[in-house]
Amino acid sequence: MLGAIQLDLVTGFLSFLFTLLILSYVVGDNAGFRLAIHAFVGVSAGYIVVIVLQQVIVDKMLLPLITGDILARVLSMFPLILSLLLLGKMSSRFEWLGRPVVALLVGVGTAAAVTGAVLGTLFPQVLAAGQLFDLHSSPSFGAVAGNLLTGIFALVGTIVTLAYFQFTVLSKNEASGRRGKMMSFFALLGQVFIAITLGAIFAGVLAAALTALVDRMQSLVSFVEVLLSTFTP
Amino acid sequence: MNEVICPSCAKPNLNNVDICQYCGTVLKRSSTEPLAPILPGDMPVESKTSDLESTLPGWLRNAHQASQEESDTPEISFPSGTPVIPANSAQPADPIKPESPRKKTPASPLDFLAGLSQVNDEDEETPDWMQGLQENIPAAQPEQPAQTGSDWGFGSGDQLFQFKDEPEPSQLADEESQADKSLGWLASLEAQDDPANATLVSKPPAAALPARDELPAMGDLPDWLSALTGGSSSQPDPAPSKPQPAGSEDAPDWLSGLGGDFIASDISPLSEPGPTPDAQAPDWLTRMSEPSGAHGTDAPAETDPGPDLPAWLGGRLSETAQPASEPQSPSVNSELFDWFNTAQDAPSAQAVLPETLAASAQEVPDWMRDLQAPASETPAMPVDDIPDWMTGLQDSVPLSASSEMPAAVQTPLEELPDWMRDLQPPSPVSAEPVAQSETPAVPVDGIPDWMLATTIAAAQPAPPTPPKPVSPPAGDLSFWLSEVTSKQPAASESEPARIFFDPQRTEQESAEETPTWLAGSGERLSTAASEPPQQAESVPSAQTGSGPLLLGSSDEQNIDSILAMETPDWLAGFTPSDAEKTAAKADERAEDLSLLPAELPSWVQAMRPMESVMADADDGQDEQLMENHGPLAGLRSVLPVQSGMADAYNSKPYALKLLADETQLAQAALLDNLLNSESTPQIAPSRAKLLSMRPLRWLIAVLLLLAVLIPAILKTQIFPVPSLPADASPAGAFISITTGLSSSQPVLVVVDYQPGFAGELEIASGPVIAQLEEKNVPLAFISTSPVGPFMIERLLKKYAGAYQLNKQYVNLGYLPGGAGGIKAFAEQPYSTVGHDTSLGNMWETPALAGATVNAATSLSNFGAVIVLTDNPDTGRLWIEQAQPSLKQAPMLMVVSAQAEPMIRPYMLSDQIKGLLAGLEGAAIYENQMGVAGGHGPRTYWDAFGMSMLAAELLILLGGAWGLITGLRARRTATEQDEA
């Protein structure tokens, strides 16, 4: 029990110390801040190496190769060979060996990303935006009206936002290089939507940062409380 | 064929091009080609004048062309048997060969150079002007004795011309000696040419200039001068019928006057004539000088022609002024040559004694024949035809000897040169003799500028000139005079500079070479040396006509005056008809001024390979560049002229203006503005402003820390927890789904957030994990982040500490591969993850027992998939890759507040069934479910609320400050604009 308490105190002290070092950045870049950063990066990298070595190389490649059946061994040979070829990228002389592996990785990852973006984001979002204008989506008029207004608002917001990013000038205004009046109005409206969006994102970022700050301050307070409770009768 | 083969590249070129189009070699030289320089000691090289014609100056070629154009005119045939002018008096007279029809006498004095282009050797030997002298001699004139013409220099001049064609070095010395010998009568002029002597010359130039001009006048006397003679002869002259002294019988009147002039010359110790050998001087000339001393005492007032008048001319004037019947000095007239008497009596003698004429014609020199012809035919020449200088002599110069000027020879003042006009007295010349007792000094005011200049120039010692085989030309002076000029430095070197006249030398040279009559003039000049130097400076010396002195000292003088000096008047006014042509070719004569003082006459240069004599020799040298480096060093014109090549290879000009319309120009301007704006440096904020931001940053940090710490320390609950959301809201849907989860189906929890966001996501997902723990829902954790496994353990330890590994939960660990790994896991979860060396097959653990249905492991077998992420992209990947494989299994998301705006659309598209965002969602969930205990969102809510309020206030204050600052800046700018 004492050991657990002492361990909590040590971890709590280190947490308190590194928290203060990170917060010291308020007064500017300093050695304490850099020490905390370097410690975090080093610990994270070490942890990542251990995790990858254990959970990826050993568990997913070597273990099936050693303890698996024939099929598992044969299948495990592919990642092993590809990994060895990928090591050729470390040398300029054998750099070409890793090209197929990299090509495979990029190709598979791109294919998955594109497929997921089209099927998982684009089509569903288009369908969802269209459903807002479906007057029969809900028997409630208020819900339909709400959906319709939401849809119109989303549509206008989308259009004016795209209009703001329309930098091509039509032939009528080529000489001046400026947008027409209609496009200028849409662009201005798009700026409003973009500002609202960025404001919302900034609010979320601020909320997330303040939440993290509150968590750190709360951890300090908790550490102090634990420390006081430990060493005070 | 209109092509010209280039001598360099042998390529054909058009005939009208001057420069080779291929190599740039100059094909045609319009300018004068320079000759090789003649250095001292170089021997002349024989060459054809036709080859050297290209080297002639432009004006000379033009003159030659003009003479060729006139070649179509009738030519005068020279009579056979015409005696040639002897080259030297010592040499026997060579009969002139019967010549073929010769060209017409050049109209201009410069035309005598026109024959240079002819290949005929005879033409080269005898200049045209000399030919003209012979041509002008009437055929009826008897041949002049060789001995008589030798002293007049024409013979010597001819000899000198022949010398040009005899460039043998061995003969040069002889020729030079002969020339010197023949020009011995000019020895006195040498003394005058001496600059030192010139300073002491006190006699007026008229005494010397006519002496110099006298020589050509003998050969081809102008009409005015011919009129002087002819007038006297045309008039009924009783002289032949009257017994006259020897002098008057043998010599013409004007020449008799010369004798009288010499008789009337001043008495001076230096004027005593030396012994004149008869072999080298004509007798008549010798006698002309002999009685001068005798008569000087007898009638000085009558015989003195005046200091400004040459002796011979003074005598001539006296002769013409006096009646022809007036008896002359017997000593002079008795010693004149017969030919001279014949010439004098030609008009009457030809009619009376033709046989005598035929006999005397053999003795009369050519110039005399030329002189007699117009004299006999031309009526009395009016005074207008008298050269200006002669007119001036008559009037202005106080003649010491009484002269009687006939009315026929009076010359009007209009045709007199200015300098002579000044010398002419205001009163018209009368036929009555004018007696002058003394010779007054010519005032300086009456002397033309050119004469003063020449006087000054003559006063300066001429630089010694090295002796050359051929004397350099003296402008337009004929060669015989140039010869005199060439001897000038020798005299100045051999004698002291201040010695004006050396009696010994004068006696010797005059005795040997100088004609008597000219020696007399020299004597008078020598006599003038004894006069005060003031007078010598006040009058131009006799050397003013010398080319070197003239050109060397008066380059800026009036052209006319220079021409008058350079070109003898007798030559300029050779024929009356030449006067107009002479004026027309004044420009050509002006080019002669460009000749350097010590240069040969251009026609001599044409016969000799000399480039220094050319007027544009410098230009030629400029064109012929001399190589200074390499093996060709020292050679000239080896390579083609670069300038020609540059001209030949000039590239064609192309227009640089772009053909762009207004639209393109506007677009180009727009692009240019964009590029310029990119290159325009941005004004960096000053350091003072940066320093001012640090306290502000500290202030904001302190405010936020206080806003967080105060509620955390005080554990206040000032801010109320958010109320329950509607069921349709993302949080409400989330709560509804989690509430419906059962313990039979495991719930897959994806922990994909970074340690930095652990504080937010742990507090946000803590109530959910706690609720699931309460419901004993088996949990399977997986992460696409390498640090995910640690975050999973930390989360479970904080909110589900009661769960045991592989019993209530499994940690599938790290899922590599990104989107592909997610896709693989979603399709084949069993084969992708769940196999650990220490834990074995996790799919066989009790926590995942519900995930395998009918020996098939699929995500759809999970009760729900809860994604905990702070990155919207990670959430999107799980939605895109795993959501289609979930089928009926709901996907829930607990995201950071910053990722909510990007993930919320998937909530509206029903791709995710519930969403909790940040601390707010956790607070709502906690408030609804009543879980999380002491580590729940409520403990953070006041601190979060206070810090958020502080942040909002700071944002408002900052916005207000910015607005005020902007308004002030705008107002200031407006005021500045208005000011």
Side-chain angles (χ1 to χ4, degrees), chain B residues 309-358:
Chain B
L309 196 62
W312 63 274
L313 190 57
R316 181 71 186 89
L317 294 175
S318 301
E319 170 65 20
T320 54
Q322 293 177 357
S325 60
E326 185 175 355
Q328 300 294 328
S329 176
S331 59
V332 176
N333 296 333
S334 60
E335 294 180 4
L336 291 176
F337 288 127
D338 296 336
W339 64 269
F340 216 78
N341 294 329
T342 305
Q344 180 184 12
D345 301 334
S348 58
Q350 288 177 358
V352 177
L353 301 174
E355 63 281 2
T356 306
L357 178 61

Side-chain angles (χ1 to χ4, degrees), chain B residues 561-617:
Chain B
S561 60
I562 294 175
L563 291 175
M565 292 304 298
E566 293 180 355
T567 302
D569 293 338
W570 60 269
L571 188 59
F574 201 74
T575 57
S577 60
D578 291 343
E580 297 178 357
K581 297 181 179 179
T582 302
K585 295 187 178 181
D587 296 338
E588 296 180 359
R589 297 178 60 186
E591 294 181 4
D592 296 342
L593 297 176
S594 60
L595 292 177
L596 297 177
E599 291 179 347
L600 293 172
S602 51
W603 58 272
V604 177
Q605 297 177 17
M607 291 188 295
R608 301 193 60 178
M610 296 175 61
E611 67 178 21
S612 59
V613 302
M614 308 310 297
D616 51 354

Side-chain angles (χ1 to χ4, degrees), chain B residues 282-320:
Chain B
D283 297 336
W284 62 274
L285 286 177
T286 304
R287 294 185 180 91
M288 286 169 62
S289 59
E290 287 177 357
S292 59
H295 289 270
T297 55
D298 296 338
E302 295 179 357
T303 57
D304 188 5
D308 295 340
L309 196 62
W312 63 274
L313 190 57
R316 181 71 186 89
L317 294 175
S318 301
E319 170 65 20
T320 54

